[in-house]
Amino acid sequence: MPTPLIAPPPEPLKKRTVNVRLEEEIFENLKRYIAYAGRGDFSHVVNNGMRYLFLKDTGFQSWLAVHPAAITE
């Protein structure tokens, strides 16, 4: 079967809604960062910020290798 020249869009990622309480200064800077970035929304910035944190925190990476199934609800 031939392959289309333009790939279909990726499947949407599974998302979960959470409630968080941010310090006022953090919340205001989050809004400012969205304005600075010129696009996106709270979910986009928080998701990518957390992804960046998990990637860059070498201590967390080491811990995760030893505790891959540890989850706190």
Side-chain angles (χ1 to χ4, degrees):
M1 179 188 297
T3 304
L5 295 177
I6 298 174
E11 291 291 323
L13 298 174
K14 181 179 175 185
K15 295 183 180 179
R16 183 178 288 189
T17 299
V18 296
N19 284 323
V20 287
R21 297 172 73 78
L22 300 175
E23 296 171 12
E24 188 67 28
E25 180 183 1
I26 300 296
F27 180 68
E28 293 302 319
N29 278 332
L30 176 58
K31 293 190 299 184
R32 289 181 184 107
Y33 194 87
I34 292 167
Y36 162 74
R39 60 184 184 156
D41 57 22
F42 291 109
S43 293
H44 175 77
V45 172
V46 171
N47 274 299
N48 285 285
M50 296 307 300
R51 186 174 287 118
Y52 181 79
L53 174 70
F54 299 150
L55 179 67
K56 295 297 183 178
D57 188 330
T58 56
F60 175 68
Q61 291 294 324
S62 298
W63 181 88
L64 188 60
V66 176
H67 305 92
I71 295 179
T72 302
E73 288 291 334

